[in-house]
Amino acid sequence: MRERNLSEIQTKYDVVVFGAGDVPTSSIILDILKNAKHIVACDGALEDLLKLGVEPEAVIGDGDSIAPELKEKYAHIFHQIKEQDDNDLTKATKYALNHFDLDSKPSFCILAATGKREDHTLGNLFLLLHYYRQLGINPVMISDYGWFAVASGKTKFSSFPRQQVSVFQFGCQRISSEGLKWAVYPFEEFWQGTLNEATGNSFTIDADGMYLIYRTHLPK
């Protein structure tokens, strides 16, 4: 059941950005890394990525989170960006957009960006909306438990019965759903969109703004 559900996640992305959070342990993570066109690591994540047997195309950060020996060994691909307006995840994402030959709406997968510090996790989740709106990319963020995706307007999502789903809407005056156990509406609080459930092999969200969708790997 787990592998069937996990296999529904796309495993081919234009860019994979590897963060310094908890490292996912699922086998699908290696598939994603193996199939990625480009891999960029935040400087504090390089050691974890190397432990998976994967070397990035570029290492990005302000240089304060990377071991000196790794910084020296990978100096040929280490790009130090000291400005503090963006975190390393955003620096890595912008580097990919500026230096790789990508489609007009490239797909980005962000790994190891949750866990460890809750404030970093929240910040990284909100950055998905920023990347979608301001940088023109389709980002997803995957962990061992599920994955987040950003969408707007009317979107159909793949699912399976009893898959747990949460919907976080941002400023929508109109939002509705089909295929979820409980109907979605313009929630006043973020928590009101959590703990929903798919009833079949797909569900649809229709809204006049952006929203963040979370789906679990396993059914309840």
Side-chain angles (χ1 to χ4, degrees):
M1 178 69 74
R2 182 178 177 83
E3 290 304 319
R4 179 182 66 81
N5 293 337
L6 282 172
S7 68
E8 294 177 3
I9 303 176
Q10 177 182 334
T11 58
K12 294 182 179 180
Y13 294 90
D14 295 315
V15 179
V16 170
V17 179
F18 202 85
D22 287 341
V23 179
T25 59
S26 168
S27 61
I28 197 174
I29 301 307
L30 290 178
D31 290 337
I32 290 172
L33 291 168
K34 178 182 67 177
N35 291 324
K37 292 182 180 179
H38 305 281
I39 299 175
V40 182
C42 298
D43 60 5
L46 178 58
E47 185 173 357
D48 286 334
L49 184 60
L50 294 174
K51 288 178 180 178
L52 296 176
V54 177
E55 292 200 357
E57 190 170 342
V59 181
I60 310 296
D62 54 17
D64 64 352
S65 302
I66 186 173
E69 58 272 18
L70 287 178
K71 185 176 182 180
E72 180 179 356
K73 181 177 180 179
Y74 290 91
H76 60 294
I77 59 170
F78 175 63
H79 304 275
Q80 188 168 9
I81 304 174
K82 292 187 175 182
E83 62 88 4
Q84 297 299 310
D85 289 338
D86 294 321
N87 68 358
D88 285 352
L89 196 70
T90 302
K91 292 174 183 177
T93 301
K94 288 183 175 179
Y95 177 90
L97 286 170
N98 292 328
H99 292 84
F100 299 149
D101 184 15
L102 302 173
D103 295 333
S104 60
K105 192 77 171 179
S107 58
F108 275 64
C109 177
I110 300 172
L111 301 176
T114 61
K116 293 187 177 178
R117 278 184 55 174
E118 290 83 358
D119 55 341
H120 284 183
T121 296
L122 283 172
N124 290 340
L125 289 173
F126 291 140
L127 279 172
L128 295 180
L129 299 161
H130 174 71
Y131 298 163
Y132 182 88
R133 181 178 60 243
Q134 300 295 336
L135 303 185
I137 65 176
N138 286 319
V140 299
M141 185 180 292
I142 301 174
S143 74
D144 276 335
Y145 307 100
W147 74 104
F148 288 90
V150 187
S152 60
K154 187 173 184 179
T155 307
K156 185 176 182 179
F157 299 89
S158 63
S159 61
F160 50 85
R162 296 173 45 238
Q163 181 180 36
Q164 302 301 286
V165 177
S166 290
V167 182
F168 303 92
Q169 62 90 11
F170 296 85
C172 295
Q173 300 299 310
R174 176 186 59 79
I175 184 169
S176 60
S177 62
E178 295 180 6
L180 294 178
K181 188 173 182 179
W182 293 282
V184 172
Y185 59 93
F187 305 120
E188 294 182 1
E189 305 286 348
F190 287 139
W191 61 265
Q192 291 177 297
T194 63
L195 309 179
N196 212 321
E197 185 175 298
T199 58
N201 294 324
S202 67
F203 63 91
T204 300
I205 303 294
D206 189 5
D208 60 357
M210 289 194 309
Y211 45 91
L212 196 61
I213 298 292
Y214 178 77
R215 285 169 283 177
T216 59
H217 296 317
L218 297 176
K220 184 175 180 179

